[in-house]
Amino acid sequence: MRIYTSEVKPEMDGEVVELAGWVHSIRALGKLIFVILRDREGTIQIVAPKQKVGEELFKKIKSLGQEDVIKVKGKVIANEKAPGGVEILPLEVEILNRAVRPLPLDPAEKVPSELDTRLDNRYLDLRKPKIQAIFKIRHEMLKSVRNTFYNEGFIEVNTPKLVVSCTEVGTELFPISYFDKEAFLGQSPQLYKQMLMATGLDRVFEIGPIFRAEEHNTRRHLNEAISIDIEMAFSDDKDAMDILEKVIINACKDVYENREKELNLLGVKIEVPEKIERITYDEALELIKNKVSIEWGEDLSREAEKALGEVMGGYYFITEWPTEIRPFYTMPKEDEPEKCKAFDLMYKDLELSSGAQRIHQYDLLVENIKKKGLSPEGFKYYLEAFKYGMPPHAGWGLGADRFTMVLTGMQNIRECVLFPRDRQRLTP
Ligand code: AMO
């Protein structure tokens, strides 16, 4: 049975094992060949002395080149001098497939490549242990997030991505032709997750793509991103923040505890917060007033986010935003309607999540849609759900790609997506 390179231990000295993977590197020194075999879990040294493996097998091994795919049956040899204290003496080698050389990029990373070249040849780039580490951490985070949702009684749902109306003001939609109708790619599951609150499903979550026709090219924006979304009934903004806090803390803890190897490969030290501080929008303006001046009611500029990130460090919430600059579905505060029950979760200067308690009253919602210059007619089916018994509810959307950036210490969001979509890139 095939095992991973990481499973081969010095204690197994003398045992015969079966391994499969790629030729990471090969070195022939006269009558001795060293092959480094790489699989998902690491690398191992295969040592083939001509005298021991015989003429035929020696010739076969000598014919190998970088990134050929091979299967090896061999004897485990404990050797203190070998990397990992163990090496393999090959008994049988099967060449499963040859790689064309020269390679467009070097997975052994002896020759570094630019991000664009790496993304053009992503399947090769993804063979690098460091790059795989990013996706193993991303996987650990998603697993942890799902576990927290299961433990908190959330039901996983999937909502349509082919839609007719917009949800998030300020972001552009991708139009598509849908037979004889105009349709768009969904920019957020917002309307659907809210409609589900009228069903009694009570607490739902969805992990799925959001599409945003952002024109600008930044290190934190994609045109297709993965959003972790929740909606919870009989709840307010504080309840939603409590769940988000648990999701973040548990994910940090799980990555810290289960992905030490990957974090070390990336040279990242992870912060596991005990609690996430909550400051109001007013307090945020106060904290940065000596560096950046923001008029009350304006959104935070990039400079303001940077200044605030320096003061706050780590994770923090900004609450009680001006109602004017939040989406139509956001619940205003009862006592100060110019402020609303919306929040953002930040990591330093990076926005990771937005959420709010929502308006659950039909009339108020229609009024707000009109106030934002939108047409209630465009929201007909959504609005219907508010007529026949809609409970109070709240929720949020957390950017999975941005959260991965934080957990892996990456500075560019493209590093955290297998095949990123940005202003210039639609392939591979
Ligand atoms: P918002 O538009 O703030 O809120 O999006 C929520 C989170 O999704 C991530 N995100 C993105 N990540 C990468 N590239 C993008 N272009 C991009 N756009 C958004 C961010 C962001 O914080 N409906 C609300 C959520 C809610 O209230 O439940 C919404 O979509 O991390």
Side-chain angles (χ1 to χ4, degrees):
M1 206 186 65
R2 179 170 73 97
I3 62 169
Y4 286 120
T5 52
S6 60
E7 294 173 278
V8 183
K9 304 282 179 214
E11 308 80 270
M12 291 158 70
D13 187 63
E15 278 180 42
V16 173
V17 295
E18 223 177 88
L19 302 162
W22 288 258
V23 174
H24 194 62
S25 65
I26 177 159
R27 209 155 40 102
L29 304 170
K31 293 185 173 164
L32 191 62
I33 306 174
F34 294 92
V35 174
I36 302 290
L37 176 76
R38 187 191 67 241
D39 64 15
R40 191 184 74 189
E41 302 301 320
T43 56
I44 199 161
Q45 179 166 280
I46 295 166
V47 183
K50 190 172 186 177
Q51 192 197 356
K52 278 197 188 156
V53 300
E55 190 84 40
E56 201 181 324
L57 186 53
F58 187 81
K59 216 171 126 197
K60 196 179 203 180
I61 295 172
K62 204 171 174 192
S63 81
L64 292 174
Q66 204 188 350
E67 298 305 313
D68 283 345
V69 186
I70 58 169
K71 200 158 146 188
V72 180
K73 196 169 170 187
K75 201 195 250 181
V76 177
I77 300 186
N79 175 2
E80 272 176 22
K81 284 189 220 137
V86 70
E87 59 191 24
I88 301 288
L89 173 72
L91 304 171
E92 284 169 35
V93 171
E94 197 182 332
I95 302 171
L96 300 174
N97 219 337
R98 296 275 190 187
V100 173
R101 284 174 291 272
L103 301 157
L105 74 83
D106 177 18
E109 277 189 290
K110 287 200 185 87
V111 195
S113 326
E114 296 290 325
L115 184 60
D116 256 341
T117 312
R118 290 179 37 216
L119 293 176
D120 283 343
N121 301 282
R122 191 59 154 160
Y123 56 92
L124 274 176
D125 187 48
L126 282 159
R127 287 186 194 174
K128 297 174 190 164
K130 257 191 187 174
I131 307 300
Q132 285 198 1
I134 298 170
F135 293 93
K136 288 175 184 168
I137 292 171
R138 184 181 165 116
H139 154 78
E140 191 70 40
M141 175 274 285
L142 287 170
K143 181 176 155 192
S144 168
V145 167
R146 280 205 166 85
N147 279 338
T148 304
F149 288 149
Y150 302 147
N151 291 338
E152 297 292 329
F154 282 78
I155 290 179
E156 181 159 10
V157 297
N158 304 100
T159 64
K161 304 303 157 208
L162 297 174
V163 300
V164 293
S165 51
C166 76
T167 50
E168 309 302 325
V169 184
T171 75
E172 295 294 315
L173 289 158
F174 282 112
I176 49 165
S177 69
Y178 191 74
F179 307 109
D180 54 348
K181 288 196 181 68
E182 185 187 41
F184 303 96
L185 292 176
Q187 57 183 176
S188 158
Q190 186 64 35
L191 304 187
Y192 291 97
K193 59 182 188 165
Q194 281 194 266
M195 283 194 276
L196 288 174
M197 293 300 96
T199 65
L201 280 175
D202 199 51
R203 294 179 154 208
V204 300
F205 80 92
E206 174 166 16
I207 301 179
I210 55 171
F211 302 92
R212 302 197 172 187
E214 318 252 6
E215 285 281 350
H216 46 279
N217 240 330
T218 78
R219 287 182 306 159
R220 46 187 216 291
H221 286 95
L222 293 163
N223 294 109
E224 177 176 352
I226 296 295
S227 180
I228 302 167
D229 267 274
I230 72 152
E231 207 63 31
M232 50 202 289
F234 308 102
S235 303
D236 63 14
D237 48 335
K238 295 189 178 62
D239 300 321
M241 279 190 276
D242 288 345
I243 296 287
L244 185 47
E245 187 166 339
K246 278 187 192 163
V247 161
I248 298 289
I249 292 174
N250 289 346
C252 292
K253 210 184 277 168
D254 287 338
V255 169
Y256 177 82
E257 283 171 8
N258 305 326
R259 292 291 163 182
E260 195 187 349
K261 186 171 134 194
E262 286 77 16
L263 291 169
N264 286 342
L265 252 180
L266 295 170
V268 176
K269 283 210 165 52
I270 207 162
E271 291 168 47
V272 182
E274 271 173 32
K275 202 179 160 318
I276 300 182
E277 200 179 334
R278 299 176 190 189
I279 60 166
T280 63
Y281 169 87
D282 290 4
E283 286 165 345
L285 295 200
E286 187 63 29
L287 281 172
I288 55 169
K289 70 172 184 208
N290 293 331
K291 285 191 196 150
V292 189
S293 119
I294 298 276
E295 283 276 329
W296 196 93
E298 278 176 25
D299 207 347
L300 297 186
S301 60
R302 192 68 198 115
E303 286 62 44
E305 285 178 342
K306 281 187 180 156
L308 197 58
E310 272 170 31
V311 185
M312 297 298 297
Y315 298 94
Y316 59 98
F317 284 103
I318 308 173
T319 64
E320 297 188 25
W321 287 77
T323 309
E324 191 67 29
I325 54 169
R326 300 300 287 211
F328 65 83
Y329 49 74
T330 313
M331 181 68 97
K333 281 184 77 183
E334 292 89 4
D335 48 344
E336 299 169 283
E338 68 283 5
K339 294 180 188 170
C340 65
K341 299 187 180 185
F343 55 84
D344 277 1
L345 172 73
M346 307 289 293
Y347 178 80
K348 294 183 182 163
D349 64 349
L350 182 68
E351 180 204 302
L352 290 181
S353 170
S354 294
Q357 182 179 335
R358 329 293 193 184
I359 295 171
H360 58 280
Q361 305 91 334
Y362 178 84
D363 293 337
L364 185 54
L365 195 52
V366 172
E367 193 187 308
N368 252 24
I369 288 175
K370 286 186 189 154
K371 249 196 229 165
K372 296 275 178 192
L374 300 164
S375 149
E377 196 46 39
F379 294 92
K380 190 163 165 268
Y381 290 101
Y382 166 71
L383 284 170
E384 285 288 301
F386 289 76
K387 278 189 184 166
Y388 311 106
M390 174 65 93
H393 59 277
W396 43 257
L398 165 68
D401 319 291
R402 287 195 183 173
F403 191 24
T404 307
M405 275 175 89
V406 173
L407 294 171
T408 57
M410 290 296 126
Q411 296 302 312
N412 191 327
I413 195 164
R414 291 162 187 78
E415 296 277 6
C416 301
V417 180
L418 291 172
F419 298 101
R421 293 290 176 255
D422 66 24
R423 188 70 183 79
Q424 268 83 39
R425 185 173 287 281
L426 196 55
T427 52

Short mmCIF file of all heavy atoms in Angstrom, two decimals, residues 132-167:
data_model
loop_
_atom_site.label_atom_id
_atom_site.label_comp_id
_atom_site.label_asym_id
_atom_site.label_seq_id
_atom_site.Cartn_x
_atom_site.Cartn_y
_atom_site.Cartn_z
N GLN A 132 1.79 25.03 -1.16
CA GLN A 132 0.79 24.08 -0.65
C GLN A 132 0.45 24.39 0.80
O GLN A 132 -0.69 24.18 1.23
CB GLN A 132 1.31 22.65 -0.76
CG GLN A 132 1.27 22.16 -2.19
CD GLN A 132 1.35 20.65 -2.33
OE1 GLN A 132 1.41 19.92 -1.35
NE2 GLN A 132 1.34 20.18 -3.56
N ALA A 133 1.42 24.91 1.55
CA ALA A 133 1.18 25.24 2.97
C ALA A 133 0.05 26.26 3.11
O ALA A 133 -0.78 26.17 4.01
CB ALA A 133 2.46 25.77 3.61
N ILE A 134 0.00 27.22 2.18
CA ILE A 134 -1.06 28.25 2.21
C ILE A 134 -2.42 27.57 2.12
O ILE A 134 -3.35 27.89 2.88
CB ILE A 134 -0.90 29.25 1.04
CG1 ILE A 134 0.44 29.99 1.14
CG2 ILE A 134 -2.07 30.22 0.99
CD1 ILE A 134 0.80 30.81 -0.10
N PHE A 135 -2.53 26.59 1.22
CA PHE A 135 -3.84 25.96 0.99
C PHE A 135 -4.18 24.93 2.06
O PHE A 135 -5.36 24.65 2.30
CB PHE A 135 -3.91 25.42 -0.44
CG PHE A 135 -3.91 26.57 -1.40
CD1 PHE A 135 -2.72 27.04 -1.95
CD2 PHE A 135 -5.07 27.28 -1.65
CE1 PHE A 135 -2.70 28.16 -2.76
CE2 PHE A 135 -5.07 28.40 -2.46
CZ PHE A 135 -3.88 28.85 -3.02
N LYS A 136 -3.17 24.40 2.73
CA LYS A 136 -3.45 23.51 3.85
C LYS A 136 -3.96 24.34 5.04
O LYS A 136 -4.84 23.91 5.77
CB LYS A 136 -2.19 22.73 4.23
CG LYS A 136 -1.84 21.66 3.20
CD LYS A 136 -0.53 20.99 3.52
CE LYS A 136 -0.14 20.00 2.43
NZ LYS A 136 1.25 19.54 2.60
N ILE A 137 -3.41 25.54 5.20
CA ILE A 137 -3.89 26.43 6.27
C ILE A 137 -5.31 26.91 5.94
O ILE A 137 -6.18 26.95 6.81
CB ILE A 137 -2.90 27.60 6.48
CG1 ILE A 137 -1.59 27.06 7.07
CG2 ILE A 137 -3.50 28.69 7.36
CD1 ILE A 137 -0.44 28.05 7.14
N ARG A 138 -5.54 27.23 4.67
CA ARG A 138 -6.88 27.65 4.25
C ARG A 138 -7.90 26.53 4.53
O ARG A 138 -8.99 26.77 5.05
CB ARG A 138 -6.86 28.00 2.75
CG ARG A 138 -8.18 28.53 2.22
CD ARG A 138 -8.10 28.84 0.72
NE ARG A 138 -9.42 29.02 0.21
CZ ARG A 138 -9.91 30.16 -0.30
NH1 ARG A 138 -9.16 31.21 -0.40
NH2 ARG A 138 -11.15 30.23 -0.73
N HIS A 139 -7.51 25.31 4.20
CA HIS A 139 -8.36 24.15 4.45
C HIS A 139 -8.65 24.00 5.96
O HIS A 139 -9.80 23.77 6.36
CB HIS A 139 -7.67 22.89 3.91
CG HIS A 139 -8.07 21.61 4.57
ND1 HIS A 139 -9.25 20.98 4.29
CD2 HIS A 139 -7.47 20.88 5.53
CE1 HIS A 139 -9.34 19.90 5.05
NE2 HIS A 139 -8.28 19.82 5.80
N GLU A 140 -7.63 24.14 6.76
CA GLU A 140 -7.79 24.02 8.22
C GLU A 140 -8.75 25.09 8.74
O GLU A 140 -9.60 24.82 9.60
CB GLU A 140 -6.41 24.19 8.88
CG GLU A 140 -6.37 23.83 10.36
CD GLU A 140 -6.51 22.33 10.60
OE1 GLU A 140 -5.93 21.55 9.83
OE2 GLU A 140 -7.23 21.96 11.55
N MET A 141 -8.62 26.30 8.19
CA MET A 141 -9.50 27.40 8.60
C MET A 141 -10.95 27.08 8.23
O MET A 141 -11.85 27.18 9.06
CB MET A 141 -9.02 28.70 7.92
CG MET A 141 -9.87 29.92 8.14
SD MET A 141 -11.24 30.10 6.99
CE MET A 141 -10.39 30.64 5.50
N LEU A 142 -11.17 26.63 6.99
CA LEU A 142 -12.54 26.34 6.54
C LEU A 142 -13.16 25.20 7.35
O LEU A 142 -14.34 25.23 7.70
CB LEU A 142 -12.56 26.00 5.05
CG LEU A 142 -12.35 27.20 4.12
CD1 LEU A 142 -12.14 26.75 2.68
CD2 LEU A 142 -13.52 28.18 4.20
N LYS A 143 -12.33 24.21 7.67
CA LYS A 143 -12.81 23.08 8.48
C LYS A 143 -13.22 23.57 9.87
O LYS A 143 -14.28 23.21 10.39
CB LYS A 143 -11.68 22.06 8.57
CG LYS A 143 -11.99 20.82 9.34
CD LYS A 143 -10.81 19.86 9.25
CE LYS A 143 -10.79 18.91 10.43
NZ LYS A 143 -9.52 18.19 10.51
N SER A 144 -12.38 24.42 10.43
CA SER A 144 -12.65 24.97 11.77
C SER A 144 -13.92 25.81 11.76
O SER A 144 -14.76 25.72 12.66
CB SER A 144 -11.45 25.80 12.22
OG SER A 144 -11.78 26.55 13.35
N VAL A 145 -14.05 26.66 10.73
CA VAL A 145 -15.22 27.54 10.63
C VAL A 145 -16.50 26.69 10.56
O VAL A 145 -17.48 26.94 11.27
CB VAL A 145 -15.09 28.45 9.38
CG1 VAL A 145 -16.40 29.15 9.07
CG2 VAL A 145 -13.98 29.48 9.58
N ARG A 146 -16.46 25.65 9.72
CA ARG A 146 -17.63 24.76 9.61
C ARG A 146 -17.93 24.11 10.96
O ARG A 146 -19.08 24.05 11.38
CB ARG A 146 -17.38 23.67 8.56
CG ARG A 146 -17.58 24.14 7.15
CD ARG A 146 -17.93 22.97 6.21
NE ARG A 146 -18.44 23.49 4.95
CZ ARG A 146 -17.68 23.86 3.93
NH1 ARG A 146 -16.37 23.77 4.00
NH2 ARG A 146 -18.22 24.32 2.82
N ASN A 147 -16.88 23.65 11.66
CA ASN A 147 -17.10 23.01 12.97
C ASN A 147 -17.76 23.97 13.95
O ASN A 147 -18.66 23.58 14.69
CB ASN A 147 -15.77 22.52 13.55
CG ASN A 147 -15.38 21.18 12.95
OD1 ASN A 147 -16.24 20.45 12.46
ND2 ASN A 147 -14.10 20.87 12.98
N THR A 148 -17.30 25.22 13.94
CA THR A 148 -17.92 26.20 14.85
C THR A 148 -19.40 26.36 14.50
O THR A 148 -20.27 26.37 15.37
CB THR A 148 -17.19 27.56 14.79
OG1 THR A 148 -15.81 27.35 15.07
CG2 THR A 148 -17.77 28.56 15.79
N PHE A 149 -19.69 26.45 13.20
CA PHE A 149 -21.09 26.58 12.79
C PHE A 149 -21.92 25.37 13.24
O PHE A 149 -23.03 25.53 13.75
CB PHE A 149 -21.19 26.74 11.27
CG PHE A 149 -20.72 28.08 10.76
CD1 PHE A 149 -20.16 28.21 9.51
CD2 PHE A 149 -20.87 29.23 11.53
CE1 PHE A 149 -19.74 29.44 9.03
CE2 PHE A 149 -20.45 30.48 11.06
CZ PHE A 149 -19.88 30.57 9.80
N TYR A 150 -21.38 24.17 13.06
CA TYR A 150 -22.13 22.97 13.48
C TYR A 150 -22.39 23.03 14.98
O TYR A 150 -23.50 22.79 15.44
CB TYR A 150 -21.37 21.68 13.15
CG TYR A 150 -21.03 21.48 11.68
CD1 TYR A 150 -19.86 20.83 11.29
CD2 TYR A 150 -21.88 21.94 10.68
CE1 TYR A 150 -19.54 20.64 9.95
CE2 TYR A 150 -21.56 21.76 9.33
CZ TYR A 150 -20.40 21.12 8.98
OH TYR A 150 -20.08 20.95 7.66
N ASN A 151 -21.34 23.39 15.74
CA ASN A 151 -21.49 23.44 17.20
C ASN A 151 -22.48 24.50 17.66
O ASN A 151 -23.06 24.39 18.72
CB ASN A 151 -20.13 23.72 17.87
CG ASN A 151 -19.19 22.54 17.72
OD1 ASN A 151 -19.64 21.41 17.50
ND2 ASN A 151 -17.89 22.78 17.80
N GLU A 152 -22.62 25.57 16.84
CA GLU A 152 -23.52 26.65 17.23
C GLU A 152 -24.92 26.48 16.60
O GLU A 152 -25.73 27.39 16.64
CB GLU A 152 -22.93 28.01 16.81
CG GLU A 152 -21.61 28.36 17.51
CD GLU A 152 -21.77 28.64 19.01
OE1 GLU A 152 -22.84 29.12 19.42
OE2 GLU A 152 -20.82 28.34 19.75
N GLY A 153 -25.15 25.33 16.01
CA GLY A 153 -26.50 25.04 15.50
C GLY A 153 -26.85 25.67 14.16
O GLY A 153 -28.02 25.93 13.90
N PHE A 154 -25.86 25.93 13.32
CA PHE A 154 -26.13 26.50 11.99
C PHE A 154 -26.33 25.38 10.96
O PHE A 154 -25.70 24.33 11.04
CB PHE A 154 -24.98 27.40 11.54
CG PHE A 154 -25.01 28.76 12.21
CD1 PHE A 154 -24.56 28.91 13.52
CD2 PHE A 154 -25.50 29.87 11.54
CE1 PHE A 154 -24.60 30.15 14.15
CE2 PHE A 154 -25.54 31.11 12.16
CZ PHE A 154 -25.09 31.26 13.47
N ILE A 155 -27.19 25.66 9.99
CA ILE A 155 -27.47 24.71 8.90
C ILE A 155 -26.80 25.24 7.63
O ILE A 155 -26.91 26.43 7.32
CB ILE A 155 -29.01 24.59 8.69
CG1 ILE A 155 -29.63 23.87 9.89
CG2 ILE A 155 -29.35 23.90 7.38
CD1 ILE A 155 -31.13 23.72 9.80
N GLU A 156 -26.08 24.36 6.93
CA GLU A 156 -25.39 24.81 5.72
C GLU A 156 -26.37 24.87 4.54
O GLU A 156 -27.11 23.93 4.30
CB GLU A 156 -24.23 23.87 5.38
CG GLU A 156 -23.47 24.34 4.14
CD GLU A 156 -22.06 23.79 4.02
OE1 GLU A 156 -21.69 22.89 4.78
OE2 GLU A 156 -21.33 24.29 3.14
N VAL A 157 -26.35 26.00 3.84
CA VAL A 157 -27.25 26.18 2.69
C VAL A 157 -26.45 26.61 1.45
O VAL A 157 -25.29 27.01 1.56
CB VAL A 157 -28.34 27.24 2.97
CG1 VAL A 157 -29.25 26.81 4.11
CG2 VAL A 157 -27.72 28.61 3.26
N ASN A 158 -27.10 26.52 0.30
CA ASN A 158 -26.52 26.99 -0.97
C ASN A 158 -27.58 27.81 -1.68
O ASN A 158 -28.67 27.31 -1.93
CB ASN A 158 -26.12 25.81 -1.85
CG ASN A 158 -25.17 24.87 -1.13
OD1 ASN A 158 -25.57 23.84 -0.62
ND2 ASN A 158 -23.92 25.24 -1.07
N THR A 159 -27.26 29.04 -1.98
CA THR A 159 -28.24 29.92 -2.64
C THR A 159 -27.78 30.21 -4.08
O THR A 159 -26.61 30.02 -4.40
CB THR A 159 -28.39 31.24 -1.85
OG1 THR A 159 -27.14 31.94 -1.88
CG2 THR A 159 -28.80 30.99 -0.41
N PRO A 160 -28.71 30.67 -4.95
CA PRO A 160 -28.36 30.89 -6.37
C PRO A 160 -27.30 31.96 -6.56
O PRO A 160 -27.22 32.93 -5.80
CB PRO A 160 -29.67 31.36 -6.99
CG PRO A 160 -30.72 31.19 -5.98
CD PRO A 160 -30.09 31.02 -4.65
N LYS A 161 -26.51 31.75 -7.60
CA LYS A 161 -25.49 32.75 -7.96
C LYS A 161 -25.88 33.50 -9.23
O LYS A 161 -25.22 34.45 -9.63
CB LYS A 161 -24.12 32.09 -8.13
CG LYS A 161 -23.64 31.31 -6.91
CD LYS A 161 -23.57 32.15 -5.65
CE LYS A 161 -23.64 31.30 -4.39
NZ LYS A 161 -24.23 32.03 -3.25
N LEU A 162 -26.93 33.02 -9.91
CA LEU A 162 -27.50 33.74 -11.05
C LEU A 162 -28.67 34.52 -10.50
O LEU A 162 -29.64 33.93 -10.01
CB LEU A 162 -27.98 32.75 -12.12
CG LEU A 162 -26.91 31.87 -12.75
CD1 LEU A 162 -27.54 30.84 -13.69
CD2 LEU A 162 -25.90 32.72 -13.51
N VAL A 163 -28.57 35.85 -10.53
CA VAL A 163 -29.55 36.69 -9.83
C VAL A 163 -30.02 37.84 -10.71
O VAL A 163 -29.43 38.11 -11.76
CB VAL A 163 -28.96 37.23 -8.50
CG1 VAL A 163 -28.55 36.08 -7.59
CG2 VAL A 163 -27.76 38.14 -8.76
N VAL A 164 -31.06 38.56 -10.22
CA VAL A 164 -31.55 39.69 -11.01
C VAL A 164 -31.26 41.06 -10.41
O VAL A 164 -31.22 42.04 -11.13
CB VAL A 164 -33.08 39.62 -11.28
CG1 VAL A 164 -33.40 38.45 -12.19
CG2 VAL A 164 -33.87 39.56 -9.99
N SER A 165 -31.09 41.14 -9.08
CA SER A 165 -30.91 42.49 -8.53
C SER A 165 -29.66 42.61 -7.69
O SER A 165 -29.05 41.63 -7.28
CB SER A 165 -32.13 42.87 -7.69
OG SER A 165 -32.39 41.86 -6.78
N CYS A 166 -29.29 43.87 -7.43
CA CYS A 166 -28.09 44.12 -6.66
C CYS A 166 -28.39 44.09 -5.17
O CYS A 166 -29.53 44.25 -4.76
CB CYS A 166 -27.47 45.44 -7.05
SG CYS A 166 -28.32 46.86 -6.41
N THR A 167 -27.37 43.86 -4.37
CA THR A 167 -27.56 43.85 -2.92
C THR A 167 -26.63 44.84 -2.24
O THR A 167 -27.00 45.49 -1.29
CB THR A 167 -27.28 42.46 -2.35
OG1 THR A 167 -26.03 42.00 -2.85
CG2 THR A 167 -28.36 41.49 -2.72
#
